[in-house]
Amino acid sequence: MHARALVVLPTYNEAENVLALTRAVLAVDATLDVLVVDDASPDGTGDLVERERAQEPRLALLRRAGKLGLGTAYLAGFRFGLERGYACVLTMDCDGSHHPRYIPALLSALKDHDMVIGSRYVPGGGIVNWPRSRRALSAFANLYARVLLRLTVRDCTSGFRGYTRKVLETVDPFGIRSSGYSFLEEMAWRVTRCGFRIAEVPILFEQRTLGVSKIDSSEIYLAAWRVIVLALHPPPIGRARRAP
Ligand SMILES: Nc1nc2c(ncn2[C@@H]2O[C@H](COP(=O)(O)OP(=O)(O)OP(=O)(O)O)[C@@H](O)[C@H]2O)c(=O)[nH]1
Ligand SMILES: [Mg+2]
């Protein structure tokens, strides 16, 4: 095992954003590598990364056959990081919402915590350029998950995160069947239930200015339902990691 960190960027149609972010992340720290998990984006995101890779050995690309969902993209990133001996795995949206300037604070928090969340809902954090309706939805989704799952973290739906290798090896993320927001909520729940320490580092979340959102309303209803199922029928966790 080595002390390098892997930053996983799931992408679907992020051609306008992807290279700016991979370059910015790699410039933050020489101990970081980047993995883009692209789901056959029709806009050529994968081809852009493929070409960039020819001159950037710290950039890796996983091309999947079709749009398989955000949750399984995270899992593919976790598997890649575990198999290659990374000390921790970070995840970021590839749409400009998560700024790489926060990566040092996330890495620093992982020195004495098992998981870290780039959080909009702790002092110093916030959201830039979201309409009031979107803010209300996010605040409600967080309150809902916190109450039903008895979570103490303030921002359970942030995709800007870091996990130590130990967490990924212990909480069996490969047993999570849900995608999108409920994947993030279930990961926070599993990590909490296993008694790990979670840090929240304040971030300013910025609404994307390029490309379009992939989240749809069915995803939101599914996440709400999944939280209820989790609360009523908590699955066993902390078993030996299943074969990916
Ligand atoms: N590989 C992969 N990436 C995805 C998929 N769906 C979304 N993404 C990526 O996941 C990240 C978050 O997706 P967004 O569409 O920005 O969703 P969001 O941030 O929850 O919603 P907005 O605030 O509306 O942008 C982006 O980098 C997307 O390109 C998917 O099915 N597969
Ligand atoms: Mg987004």
Side-chain angles (χ1 to χ4, degrees), residues 35-172:
L35 170 69
V36 174
V37 182
D38 185 65
D39 279 2
S41 298
D43 74 349
T45 303
D47 296 334
L48 285 175
V49 177
E50 189 74 63
R51 281 199 289 278
E52 181 85 350
R53 255 164 53 79
Q55 67 227 18
E56 179 48 84
R58 290 161 57 208
L59 176 62
L61 171 66
L62 199 62
R63 302 187 92 149
R64 304 199 301 173
K67 193 172 185 313
L68 299 176
L70 187 52
T72 62
Y74 288 136
L75 290 180
F78 295 164
R79 190 173 306 134
F80 184 100
L82 289 172
E83 284 172 359
R84 284 160 184 79
Y86 285 93
C88 59
V89 176
L90 270 56
T91 60
M92 293 174 74
D93 288 359
C94 191
D95 60 357
S97 294
H98 297 155
H99 200 287
R101 68 175 172 270
Y102 299 112
I103 291 177
L106 265 69
L107 289 175
S108 172
L110 280 182
K111 286 183 189 147
D112 49 10
H113 291 81
D114 306 293
M115 174 183 164
V116 58
I117 299 178
S119 177
R120 299 162 288 187
Y121 301 123
V122 291
I127 296 168
V128 179
N129 283 340
W130 255 11
R132 196 174 292 181
S133 57
R134 189 72 203 266
R135 282 171 189 263
L137 180 64
S138 173
F140 177 75
N142 265 286
L143 181 67
Y144 177 86
R146 290 182 69 227
V147 170
L148 284 179
L149 300 179
R150 296 180 193 170
L151 295 173
T152 51
V153 291
R154 315 291 310 186
D155 195 343
C156 349
T157 54
S158 169
F160 199 177
R161 293 180 170 197
Y163 305 92
T164 59
R165 178 178 191 84
K166 190 171 162 206
V167 159
L168 296 178
E169 286 175 336
T170 308
V171 306
D172 188 20

Side-chain angles (χ1 to χ4, degrees), residues 93 95 97 205 207-208 213:
D93 288 359
D95 60 357
S97 294
F205 175 100
Q207 171 67 319
R208 64 159 80 235
S213 172

Side-chain angles (χ1 to χ4, degrees), residues 114 190-197:
D114 306 293
R190 284 177 177 238
V191 173
T192 304
R193 291 265 299 216
C194 286
F196 287 116
R197 288 158 310 161

